[in-house]
Amino acid sequence: MAIRNLRLEGDEILYKKSKEVENIDERIQTLIDDMIETMHKYNGVGLAGVQVGVLKRVIVIDLYDDKGPIVLINPKIIKTKGEQEVEEGCLSFPNRFAKVVRPAEVTAEYLDRDGKKVKIKAKELLAQAICHEFDHLEGEVFIDKIIPGTLEYVEPDEGEK
Ligand code: NI
């Protein structure tokens, strides 16, 4: 496993659309392991392949609960319900936070890392994370959809970085 370099604001790759994964091979497994390690290193809740420079439809999410990291390959959002106004950040936009409107609930389908088809109904933070990361696969970033006037820059704590 290895920490990969994060692609940050201003990097054009963040605006590119990712491609479907055709084979969940060794390379993809390594990518997944590295993405999880990278997400944990920077205390992120989610990470998309494009954020480490790989335009593949792979997402990792960890809400730091008892479920552990979730891996979503080729995800599709098949239904959304309601709205929630939430505070959001992104590892590609360090120390910046803003409010966005996200669906309150989403139903998504994806392949897990073993290639098994999974359908989940998510709400609250998990729904938010799935939508945020799914946007990355489409070449969209949260900063372009924030509620105007809500952007904040938060200084990193001493010792963090
Ligand atoms: Ni992000």
Side-chain angles (χ1 to χ4, degrees), residues 46 51 89-92 132-133 136 142:
Q51 293 181 275
C90 177
L91 291 181
S92 293
H132 177 111
E133 301 310 328
H136 276 301
F142 91 110

Side-chain angles (χ1 to χ4, degrees), residues 5-6 14 29 35 67 73 88 91 95 112 130 157:
N5 285 334
L6 284 175
L14 294 174
Q29 297 293 351
M35 284 172 64
K67 292 195 188 76
I73 299 169
E88 204 157 297
L91 291 181
N95 310 314
D112 68 13
I130 290 171
D157 288 343

Side-chain angles (χ1 to χ4, degrees), residues 87-153:
E87 183 87 5
E88 204 157 297
C90 177
L91 291 181
S92 293
F93 296 81
N95 310 314
R96 306 240 241 143
F97 299 90
K99 287 198 166 137
V100 293
V101 176
R102 295 286 184 193
E105 278 182 37
V106 298
T107 306
E109 273 180 4
Y110 60 90
L111 299 177
D112 68 13
R113 65 185 304 171
D114 300 318
K116 202 179 85 194
K117 198 166 175 178
V118 182
K119 185 174 176 179
I120 50 161
K121 201 168 168 181
K123 53 186 183 176
E124 296 165 356
L125 182 58
L126 184 56
Q128 178 188 0
I130 290 171
C131 292
H132 177 111
E133 301 310 328
F134 184 82
D135 280 354
H136 276 301
L137 303 184
E138 296 296 301
E140 295 169 13
V141 290
F142 91 110
I143 215 94
D144 291 335
K145 49 176 72 178
I146 63 174
I147 299 172
T150 63
L151 184 64
E152 284 181 71
Y153 179 83

Side-chain angles (χ1 to χ4, degrees), residues 37-63:
E37 196 176 343
T38 305
M39 169 176 68
H40 287 159
K41 154 110 178 149
Y42 296 105
N43 304 309
V45 169
L47 193 68
V50 59
Q51 293 181 275
V52 293
V54 181
L55 287 166
K56 296 273 186 196
R57 299 183 86 84
V58 177
I59 289 171
V60 297
I61 290 174
D62 197 343
L63 303 185

Side-chain angles (χ1 to χ4, degrees), residues 11-71:
D11 193 321
E12 277 178 21
I13 200 171
L14 294 174
Y15 296 92
K16 293 192 173 151
K17 196 166 164 170
S18 296
K19 293 192 173 70
E20 296 253 318
V21 173
E22 279 165 27
N23 296 305
I24 306 173
D25 55 14
E26 270 311 291
R27 234 179 132 91
I28 294 293
Q29 297 293 351
T30 303
L31 172 68
I32 290 166
D33 288 335
D34 290 356
M35 284 172 64
I36 291 170
E37 196 176 343
T38 305
M39 169 176 68
H40 287 159
K41 154 110 178 149
Y42 296 105
N43 304 309
V45 169
L47 193 68
V50 59
Q51 293 181 275
V52 293
V54 181
L55 287 166
K56 296 273 186 196
R57 299 183 86 84
V58 177
I59 289 171
V60 297
I61 290 174
D62 197 343
L63 303 185
Y64 301 95
D65 58 11
D66 54 6
K67 292 195 188 76
I70 308 170
V71 177

